Amino acid sequence: MNKWYIEKGDQGDVVLSTRVRLARNLDEFPFPAKLDPKGRNAVNKIVKDALTADGADTFKCIDMKELTQTQAVSFAERHLISPEFTQSREGRTLIITEDESVSIMLCEEDHIRLQVMKSGLSLHEAYDIANKIDNILDGKLRYAFDERIGYLTQCPTNLGTAMRASVMLHLPALTKTGKLSGLAATVSKLGLTIRGAYGEGTAARGAIYQLSNQITLGITEQAALDNLNAITLQIVAQERAAQRELLNNPAEEDQVYRAMGILNSARMMDADEFMGLISLVRMGAARGLFNVTIERINELIVNMQPATLMEMSGRNLEAAQRDAERAKILREILVS
């Protein structure tokens, strides 16, 4: 079965993916920060039993402590778990579907972190899937909920709907033309935030950014989704216009072609250099300069990350070995 991130969805030249995440806690247990391993394991069992009773073949349960560090980091690189979830893995469980479009972290910051990911811009579809799974759990579990302030969460910023919706955006032209800082200030006034691909405090490698809602209290899920969808479409239009203008400059167009030349001929390629070059190539492909699909580029962006690359190779590789392996794979794929 193909993974969700290999596909190209709606507005896929600019929008890589959509994620809807719901945070939930069980009323009878303290928040995970106050639970010992025994308490975490009890939460894990209750949630797993509730979820798999009617869909045992749909989900795979993974005890995080049984993973190697490389395996755990690869899950984070694929956005299935948070980077924090790769640490202190005792008493934590990951539940995923085969295509990795649904992943549920148990005993991360909250008892349940349910997320649904779809390619392209697909906020309402992702929410509908998340809501159906949430309803299954809600029918069998007793959530921590207050009639006045909504779902109770460990972090006060998630109170209310406890929903975080986000889109992953590729914005090379807006970045290169220096317009992104003004954009970030504008969306902040509209209840959104823009940050690096792996969330708060992370760099936007390859000009890939995460745009998400900030407000969860005093607003409905649908209103939050509609707001994010509308602003995303505006940013998509701005990025496309910026790309057209940028690539009308022969020097800028030359940089895009040079990036492809390096990717399909280099013998060593580290992850940071790869992300910078593949970002330019993705922009070129989106504008029809190359005979390589956006789907193939999206797959490379995921698979060429350090831990995922090692998982694919089935070997532990030193940094130089990874750089050689990455360059070899890129030559095989981009030259063919």
mmCIF file of all heavy atoms in Angstrom, residues 192-235:
data_model
loop_
_atom_site.group_PDB
_atom_site.id
_atom_site.type_symbol
_atom_site.label_atom_id
_atom_site.label_comp_id
_atom_site.label_asym_id
_atom_site.label_seq_id
_atom_site.Cartn_x
_atom_site.Cartn_y
_atom_site.Cartn_z
ATOM 1 N N LEU A 192 -3.419 32.577 13.122
ATOM 2 C CA LEU A 192 -2.610 31.466 12.644
ATOM 3 C C LEU A 192 -1.144 31.721 12.965
ATOM 4 O O LEU A 192 -0.744 32.839 13.289
ATOM 5 C CB LEU A 192 -2.775 31.281 11.122
ATOM 6 C CG LEU A 192 -4.200 31.086 10.604
ATOM 7 C CD1 LEU A 192 -4.185 30.969 9.078
ATOM 8 C CD2 LEU A 192 -4.837 29.852 11.216
ATOM 9 N N THR A 193 -0.340 30.672 12.845
ATOM 10 C CA THR A 193 1.095 30.827 13.028
ATOM 11 C C THR A 193 1.807 30.031 11.954
ATOM 12 O O THR A 193 1.319 28.986 11.502
ATOM 13 C CB THR A 193 1.534 30.339 14.426
ATOM 14 O OG1 THR A 193 2.926 30.584 14.597
ATOM 15 C CG2 THR A 193 1.275 28.852 14.625
ATOM 16 N N ILE A 194 2.963 30.526 11.526
ATOM 17 C CA ILE A 194 3.766 29.844 10.523
ATOM 18 C C ILE A 194 5.139 29.578 11.112
ATOM 19 O O ILE A 194 5.746 30.456 11.724
ATOM 20 C CB ILE A 194 3.844 30.663 9.209
ATOM 21 C CG1 ILE A 194 4.456 29.818 8.090
ATOM 22 C CG2 ILE A 194 4.569 31.969 9.394
ATOM 23 C CD1 ILE A 194 4.218 30.400 6.695
ATOM 24 N N ARG A 195 5.618 28.344 10.977
ATOM 25 C CA ARG A 195 6.876 27.928 11.592
ATOM 26 C C ARG A 195 7.529 26.856 10.744
ATOM 27 O O ARG A 195 7.023 26.520 9.669
ATOM 28 C CB ARG A 195 6.609 27.419 13.008
ATOM 29 C CG ARG A 195 5.631 26.255 13.048
ATOM 30 C CD ARG A 195 5.241 25.890 14.465
ATOM 31 N NE ARG A 195 4.301 26.836 15.030
ATOM 32 C CZ ARG A 195 3.748 26.709 16.230
ATOM 33 N NH1 ARG A 195 4.079 25.689 17.007
ATOM 34 N NH2 ARG A 195 2.886 27.594 16.676
ATOM 35 N N GLY A 196 8.646 26.309 11.228
ATOM 36 C CA GLY A 196 9.332 25.256 10.500
ATOM 37 C C GLY A 196 8.505 23.990 10.387
ATOM 38 O O GLY A 196 7.511 23.804 11.096
ATOM 39 N N ALA A 197 8.931 23.094 9.503
ATOM 40 C CA ALA A 197 8.145 21.907 9.177
ATOM 41 C C ALA A 197 7.906 20.998 10.369
ATOM 42 O O ALA A 197 6.918 20.264 10.410
ATOM 43 C CB ALA A 197 8.816 21.121 8.052
ATOM 44 N N TYR A 198 8.813 21.012 11.359
ATOM 45 C CA TYR A 198 8.654 20.118 12.508
ATOM 46 C C TYR A 198 8.131 20.844 13.743
ATOM 47 O O TYR A 198 8.273 20.364 14.856
ATOM 48 C CB TYR A 198 9.986 19.413 12.810
ATOM 49 C CG TYR A 198 10.338 18.403 11.744
ATOM 50 C CD1 TYR A 198 11.171 18.761 10.691
ATOM 51 C CD2 TYR A 198 9.809 17.118 11.762
ATOM 52 C CE1 TYR A 198 11.479 17.848 9.683
ATOM 53 C CE2 TYR A 198 10.109 16.203 10.759
ATOM 54 C CZ TYR A 198 10.941 16.573 9.737
ATOM 55 O OH TYR A 198 11.234 15.673 8.738
ATOM 56 N N GLY A 199 7.509 22.016 13.507
ATOM 57 C CA GLY A 199 6.839 22.690 14.599
ATOM 58 C C GLY A 199 7.657 23.804 15.233
ATOM 59 O O GLY A 199 8.656 24.268 14.683
ATOM 60 N N GLU A 200 7.208 24.224 16.389
ATOM 61 C CA GLU A 200 7.782 25.383 17.080
ATOM 62 C C GLU A 200 9.271 25.197 17.331
ATOM 63 O O GLU A 200 9.718 24.158 17.801
ATOM 64 C CB GLU A 200 7.054 25.593 18.408
ATOM 65 C CG GLU A 200 7.425 26.883 19.111
ATOM 66 C CD GLU A 200 6.561 27.144 20.333
ATOM 67 O OE1 GLU A 200 5.662 26.329 20.602
ATOM 68 O OE2 GLU A 200 6.797 28.164 20.996
ATOM 69 N N GLY A 201 10.045 26.238 16.974
ATOM 70 C CA GLY A 201 11.470 26.224 17.241
ATOM 71 C C GLY A 201 12.305 25.507 16.206
ATOM 72 O O GLY A 201 13.525 25.402 16.358
ATOM 73 N N THR A 202 11.679 25.005 15.123
ATOM 74 C CA THR A 202 12.437 24.286 14.111
ATOM 75 C C THR A 202 12.639 25.162 12.882
ATOM 76 O O THR A 202 11.840 26.041 12.585
ATOM 77 C CB THR A 202 11.723 22.981 13.683
ATOM 78 O OG1 THR A 202 10.450 23.295 13.096
ATOM 79 C CG2 THR A 202 11.529 22.070 14.880
ATOM 80 N N ALA A 203 13.736 24.899 12.175
ATOM 81 C CA ALA A 203 14.053 25.674 10.986
ATOM 82 C C ALA A 203 13.214 25.199 9.799
ATOM 83 O O ALA A 203 12.787 24.052 9.745
ATOM 84 C CB ALA A 203 15.534 25.533 10.659
ATOM 85 N N ALA A 204 13.022 26.114 8.861
ATOM 86 C CA ALA A 204 12.255 25.788 7.651
ATOM 87 C C ALA A 204 13.224 25.298 6.578
ATOM 88 O O ALA A 204 13.540 26.011 5.629
ATOM 89 C CB ALA A 204 11.476 27.000 7.171
ATOM 90 N N ARG A 205 13.707 24.081 6.716
ATOM 91 C CA ARG A 205 14.643 23.521 5.741
ATOM 92 C C ARG A 205 13.931 23.287 4.420
ATOM 93 O O ARG A 205 12.818 22.788 4.384
ATOM 94 C CB ARG A 205 15.233 22.205 6.264
ATOM 95 C CG ARG A 205 16.050 22.368 7.512
ATOM 96 C CD ARG A 205 16.330 21.049 8.205
ATOM 97 N NE ARG A 205 17.151 20.160 7.397
ATOM 98 C CZ ARG A 205 16.819 18.926 7.060
ATOM 99 N NH1 ARG A 205 15.652 18.421 7.441
ATOM 100 N NH2 ARG A 205 17.631 18.170 6.337
ATOM 101 N N GLY A 206 14.596 23.673 3.329
ATOM 102 C CA GLY A 206 13.991 23.493 2.019
ATOM 103 C C GLY A 206 12.798 24.392 1.766
ATOM 104 O O GLY A 206 11.967 24.079 0.912
ATOM 105 N N ALA A 207 12.706 25.498 2.497
ATOM 106 C CA ALA A 207 11.582 26.447 2.356
ATOM 107 C C ALA A 207 10.238 25.777 2.594
ATOM 108 O O ALA A 207 9.226 26.132 1.988
ATOM 109 C CB ALA A 207 11.611 27.133 0.991
ATOM 110 N N ILE A 208 10.211 24.781 3.497
ATOM 111 C CA ILE A 208 8.969 24.089 3.849
ATOM 112 C C ILE A 208 8.507 24.590 5.217
ATOM 113 O O ILE A 208 9.271 24.557 6.188
ATOM 114 C CB ILE A 208 9.170 22.559 3.857
ATOM 115 C CG1 ILE A 208 9.520 22.084 2.456
ATOM 116 C CG2 ILE A 208 7.912 21.861 4.364
ATOM 117 C CD1 ILE A 208 9.844 20.614 2.359
ATOM 118 N N TYR A 209 7.275 25.041 5.275
ATOM 119 C CA TYR A 209 6.726 25.668 6.478
ATOM 120 C C TYR A 209 5.424 24.992 6.891
ATOM 121 O O TYR A 209 4.713 24.419 6.061
ATOM 122 C CB TYR A 209 6.438 27.155 6.227
ATOM 123 C CG TYR A 209 7.655 27.965 5.854
ATOM 124 C CD1 TYR A 209 8.069 28.034 4.524
ATOM 125 C CD2 TYR A 209 8.390 28.659 6.814
ATOM 126 C CE1 TYR A 209 9.183 28.776 4.162
ATOM 127 C CE2 TYR A 209 9.505 29.412 6.456
ATOM 128 C CZ TYR A 209 9.898 29.462 5.131
ATOM 129 O OH TYR A 209 11.010 30.184 4.777
ATOM 130 N N GLN A 210 5.120 25.110 8.169
ATOM 131 C CA GLN A 210 3.867 24.594 8.714
ATOM 132 C C GLN A 210 2.992 25.777 9.123
ATOM 133 O O GLN A 210 3.395 26.597 9.949
ATOM 134 C CB GLN A 210 4.155 23.704 9.920
ATOM 135 C CG GLN A 210 2.942 23.030 10.519
ATOM 136 C CD GLN A 210 3.307 22.245 11.765
ATOM 137 O OE1 GLN A 210 2.925 22.617 12.875
ATOM 138 N NE2 GLN A 210 4.060 21.173 11.610
ATOM 139 N N LEU A 211 1.822 25.872 8.531
ATOM 140 C CA LEU A 211 0.854 26.921 8.866
ATOM 141 C C LEU A 211 -0.269 26.267 9.657
ATOM 142 O O LEU A 211 -0.884 25.301 9.190
ATOM 143 C CB LEU A 211 0.299 27.553 7.589
ATOM 144 C CG LEU A 211 -0.776 28.632 7.769
ATOM 145 C CD1 LEU A 211 -0.165 29.908 8.338
ATOM 146 C CD2 LEU A 211 -1.464 28.921 6.418
ATOM 147 N N SER A 212 -0.552 26.780 10.857
ATOM 148 C CA SER A 212 -1.553 26.127 11.704
ATOM 149 C C SER A 212 -2.363 27.146 12.486
ATOM 150 O O SER A 212 -1.986 28.312 12.625
ATOM 151 C CB SER A 212 -0.873 25.155 12.673
ATOM 152 O OG SER A 212 0.038 25.844 13.514
ATOM 153 N N ASN A 213 -3.500 26.669 13.008
ATOM 154 C CA ASN A 213 -4.351 27.533 13.824
ATOM 155 C C ASN A 213 -3.763 27.696 15.224
ATOM 156 O O ASN A 213 -3.188 26.769 15.790
ATOM 157 C CB ASN A 213 -5.767 26.965 13.921
ATOM 158 C CG ASN A 213 -5.818 25.639 14.691
ATOM 159 O OD1 ASN A 213 -5.164 24.679 14.325
ATOM 160 N ND2 ASN A 213 -6.603 25.604 15.765
ATOM 161 N N GLN A 214 -3.889 28.878 15.785
ATOM 162 C CA GLN A 214 -3.427 29.147 17.144
ATOM 163 C C GLN A 214 -4.556 29.083 18.151
ATOM 164 O O GLN A 214 -4.335 28.778 19.320
ATOM 165 C CB GLN A 214 -2.776 30.536 17.211
ATOM 166 C CG GLN A 214 -1.360 30.595 16.692
ATOM 167 C CD GLN A 214 -0.761 31.980 16.923
ATOM 168 O OE1 GLN A 214 -1.303 32.989 16.469
ATOM 169 N NE2 GLN A 214 0.351 32.045 17.631
ATOM 170 N N ILE A 215 -5.760 29.395 17.708
ATOM 171 C CA ILE A 215 -6.897 29.552 18.618
ATOM 172 C C ILE A 215 -7.705 28.264 18.677
ATOM 173 O O ILE A 215 -8.135 27.737 17.644
ATOM 174 C CB ILE A 215 -7.791 30.723 18.166
ATOM 175 C CG1 ILE A 215 -6.991 32.025 18.133
ATOM 176 C CG2 ILE A 215 -9.001 30.861 19.094
ATOM 177 C CD1 ILE A 215 -7.724 33.180 17.486
ATOM 178 N N THR A 216 -7.901 27.739 19.883
ATOM 179 C CA THR A 216 -8.724 26.536 20.075
ATOM 180 C C THR A 216 -9.895 26.796 21.024
ATOM 181 O O THR A 216 -10.796 25.966 21.115
ATOM 182 C CB THR A 216 -7.876 25.392 20.648
ATOM 183 O OG1 THR A 216 -7.329 25.796 21.916
ATOM 184 C CG2 THR A 216 -6.734 25.030 19.704
ATOM 185 N N LEU A 217 -9.882 27.911 21.714
ATOM 186 C CA LEU A 217 -10.912 28.220 22.704
ATOM 187 C C LEU A 217 -11.836 29.300 22.155
ATOM 188 O O LEU A 217 -11.381 30.328 21.641
ATOM 189 C CB LEU A 217 -10.258 28.692 24.009
ATOM 190 C CG LEU A 217 -11.146 28.837 25.245
ATOM 191 C CD1 LEU A 217 -11.772 27.501 25.623
ATOM 192 C CD2 LEU A 217 -10.338 29.398 26.413
ATOM 193 N N GLY A 218 -13.154 29.060 22.243
ATOM 194 C CA GLY A 218 -14.125 30.041 21.788
ATOM 195 C C GLY A 218 -14.360 30.036 20.289
ATOM 196 O O GLY A 218 -14.860 31.021 19.733
ATOM 197 N N ILE A 219 -13.998 28.947 19.631
ATOM 198 C CA ILE A 219 -14.190 28.834 18.187
ATOM 199 C C ILE A 219 -14.523 27.374 17.869
ATOM 200 O O ILE A 219 -14.029 26.458 18.532
ATOM 201 C CB ILE A 219 -12.915 29.286 17.426
ATOM 202 C CG1 ILE A 219 -13.162 29.307 15.913
ATOM 203 C CG2 ILE A 219 -11.724 28.409 17.780
ATOM 204 C CD1 ILE A 219 -12.011 29.913 15.120
ATOM 205 N N THR A 220 -15.357 27.155 16.876
ATOM 206 C CA THR A 220 -15.699 25.779 16.512
ATOM 207 C C THR A 220 -14.616 25.197 15.600
ATOM 208 O O THR A 220 -13.844 25.937 14.969
ATOM 209 C CB THR A 220 -17.041 25.717 15.772
ATOM 210 O OG1 THR A 220 -16.907 26.386 14.502
ATOM 211 C CG2 THR A 220 -18.151 26.364 16.588
ATOM 212 N N GLU A 221 -14.607 23.866 15.515
ATOM 213 C CA GLU A 221 -13.652 23.210 14.621
ATOM 214 C C GLU A 221 -13.853 23.656 13.179
ATOM 215 O O GLU A 221 -12.882 23.934 12.464
ATOM 216 C CB GLU A 221 -13.796 21.684 14.714
ATOM 217 C CG GLU A 221 -13.335 21.065 16.014
ATOM 218 C CD GLU A 221 -14.437 20.927 17.042
ATOM 219 O OE1 GLU A 221 -15.483 21.611 16.891
ATOM 220 O OE2 GLU A 221 -14.256 20.145 17.988
ATOM 221 N N GLN A 222 -15.111 23.727 12.750
ATOM 222 C CA GLN A 222 -15.381 24.095 11.360
ATOM 223 C C GLN A 222 -14.921 25.512 11.053
ATOM 224 O O GLN A 222 -14.383 25.778 9.966
ATOM 225 C CB GLN A 222 -16.876 23.941 11.052
ATOM 226 C CG GLN A 222 -17.347 22.498 11.005
ATOM 227 C CD GLN A 222 -16.624 21.668 9.957
ATOM 228 O OE1 GLN A 222 -16.320 22.152 8.872
ATOM 229 N NE2 GLN A 222 -16.354 20.409 10.274
ATOM 230 N N ALA A 223 -15.124 26.427 11.993
ATOM 231 C CA ALA A 223 -14.679 27.803 11.774
ATOM 232 C C ALA A 223 -13.167 27.877 11.657
ATOM 233 O O ALA A 223 -12.626 28.606 10.810
ATOM 234 C CB ALA A 223 -15.173 28.697 12.917
ATOM 235 N N ALA A 224 -12.469 27.117 12.502
ATOM 236 C CA ALA A 224 -11.002 27.087 12.450
ATOM 237 C C ALA A 224 -10.519 26.516 11.126
ATOM 238 O O ALA A 224 -9.580 27.036 10.505
ATOM 239 C CB ALA A 224 -10.451 26.276 13.617
ATOM 240 N N LEU A 225 -11.173 25.441 10.658
ATOM 241 C CA LEU A 225 -10.786 24.821 9.396
ATOM 242 C C LEU A 225 -11.056 25.754 8.218
ATOM 243 O O LEU A 225 -10.225 25.879 7.307
ATOM 244 C CB LEU A 225 -11.540 23.508 9.200
ATOM 245 C CG LEU A 225 -11.219 22.380 10.179
ATOM 246 C CD1 LEU A 225 -12.216 21.231 10.013
ATOM 247 C CD2 LEU A 225 -9.797 21.871 10.009
ATOM 248 N N ASP A 226 -12.206 26.403 8.233
ATOM 249 C CA ASP A 226 -12.551 27.326 7.140
ATOM 250 C C ASP A 226 -11.563 28.485 7.068
ATOM 251 O O ASP A 226 -11.147 28.903 5.973
ATOM 252 C CB ASP A 226 -13.966 27.866 7.326
ATOM 253 C CG ASP A 226 -15.037 26.808 7.087
ATOM 254 O OD1 ASP A 226 -14.720 25.766 6.473
ATOM 255 O OD2 ASP A 226 -16.180 27.022 7.529
ATOM 256 N N ASN A 227 -11.183 29.017 8.223
ATOM 257 C CA ASN A 227 -10.237 30.128 8.276
ATOM 258 C C ASN A 227 -8.882 29.706 7.716
ATOM 259 O O ASN A 227 -8.284 30.404 6.884
ATOM 260 C CB ASN A 227 -10.086 30.601 9.724
ATOM 261 C CG ASN A 227 -9.195 31.812 9.861
ATOM 262 O OD1 ASN A 227 -9.323 32.782 9.119
ATOM 263 N ND2 ASN A 227 -8.277 31.764 10.819
ATOM 264 N N LEU A 228 -8.393 28.553 8.154
ATOM 265 C CA LEU A 228 -7.101 28.057 7.688
ATOM 266 C C LEU A 228 -7.138 27.755 6.196
ATOM 267 O O LEU A 228 -6.185 28.062 5.457
ATOM 268 C CB LEU A 228 -6.707 26.802 8.480
ATOM 269 C CG LEU A 228 -5.394 26.124 8.099
ATOM 270 C CD1 LEU A 228 -4.216 27.088 8.175
ATOM 271 C CD2 LEU A 228 -5.150 24.917 8.997
ATOM 272 N N ASN A 229 -8.219 27.181 5.722
ATOM 273 C CA ASN A 229 -8.352 26.850 4.304
ATOM 274 C C ASN A 229 -8.317 28.105 3.436
ATOM 275 O O ASN A 229 -7.613 28.151 2.415
ATOM 276 C CB ASN A 229 -9.652 26.081 4.070
ATOM 277 C CG ASN A 229 -9.720 25.428 2.713
ATOM 278 O OD1 ASN A 229 -9.121 24.389 2.480
ATOM 279 N ND2 ASN A 229 -10.458 26.038 1.783
ATOM 280 N N ALA A 230 -9.057 29.128 3.856
ATOM 281 C CA ALA A 230 -9.128 30.362 3.070
ATOM 282 C C ALA A 230 -7.772 31.059 3.005
ATOM 283 O O ALA A 230 -7.347 31.526 1.937
ATOM 284 C CB ALA A 230 -10.177 31.297 3.665
ATOM 285 N N ILE A 231 -7.088 31.129 4.128
ATOM 286 C CA ILE A 231 -5.787 31.803 4.149
ATOM 287 C C ILE A 231 -4.747 30.999 3.374
ATOM 288 O O ILE A 231 -3.886 31.556 2.681
ATOM 289 C CB ILE A 231 -5.345 32.056 5.602
ATOM 290 C CG1 ILE A 231 -6.305 33.055 6.255
ATOM 291 C CG2 ILE A 231 -3.917 32.578 5.661
ATOM 292 C CD1 ILE A 231 -6.119 33.231 7.734
ATOM 293 N N THR A 232 -4.831 29.672 3.461
ATOM 294 C CA THR A 232 -3.914 28.833 2.691
ATOM 295 C C THR A 232 -4.048 29.099 1.199
ATOM 296 O O THR A 232 -3.042 29.232 0.486
ATOM 297 C CB THR A 232 -4.176 27.340 2.976
ATOM 298 O OG1 THR A 232 -3.928 27.069 4.361
ATOM 299 C CG2 THR A 232 -3.277 26.456 2.123
ATOM 300 N N LEU A 233 -5.274 29.188 0.717
ATOM 301 C CA LEU A 233 -5.486 29.443 -0.708
ATOM 302 C C LEU A 233 -4.910 30.795 -1.119
ATOM 303 O O LEU A 233 -4.378 30.939 -2.233
ATOM 304 C CB LEU A 233 -6.979 29.375 -1.031
ATOM 305 C CG LEU A 233 -7.591 27.974 -0.993
ATOM 306 C CD1 LEU A 233 -9.110 28.038 -1.168
ATOM 307 C CD2 LEU A 233 -6.978 27.083 -2.076
ATOM 308 N N GLN A 234 -4.985 31.783 -0.243
ATOM 309 C CA GLN A 234 -4.395 33.084 -0.535
ATOM 310 C C GLN A 234 -2.872 32.985 -0.639
ATOM 311 O O GLN A 234 -2.244 33.570 -1.530
ATOM 312 C CB GLN A 234 -4.787 34.096 0.535
ATOM 313 C CG GLN A 234 -6.265 34.455 0.537
ATOM 314 C CD GLN A 234 -6.613 35.458 1.636
ATOM 315 O OE1 GLN A 234 -5.817 36.328 1.953
ATOM 316 N NE2 GLN A 234 -7.800 35.327 2.202
ATOM 317 N N ILE A 235 -2.267 32.236 0.280
ATOM 318 C CA ILE A 235 -0.809 32.071 0.259
ATOM 319 C C ILE A 235 -0.377 31.295 -0.982
ATOM 320 O O ILE A 235 0.648 31.609 -1.605
ATOM 321 C CB ILE A 235 -0.335 31.370 1.544
ATOM 322 C CG1 ILE A 235 -0.594 32.272 2.754
ATOM 323 C CG2 ILE A 235 1.148 31.006 1.460
ATOM 324 C CD1 ILE A 235 -0.299 31.614 4.088
#
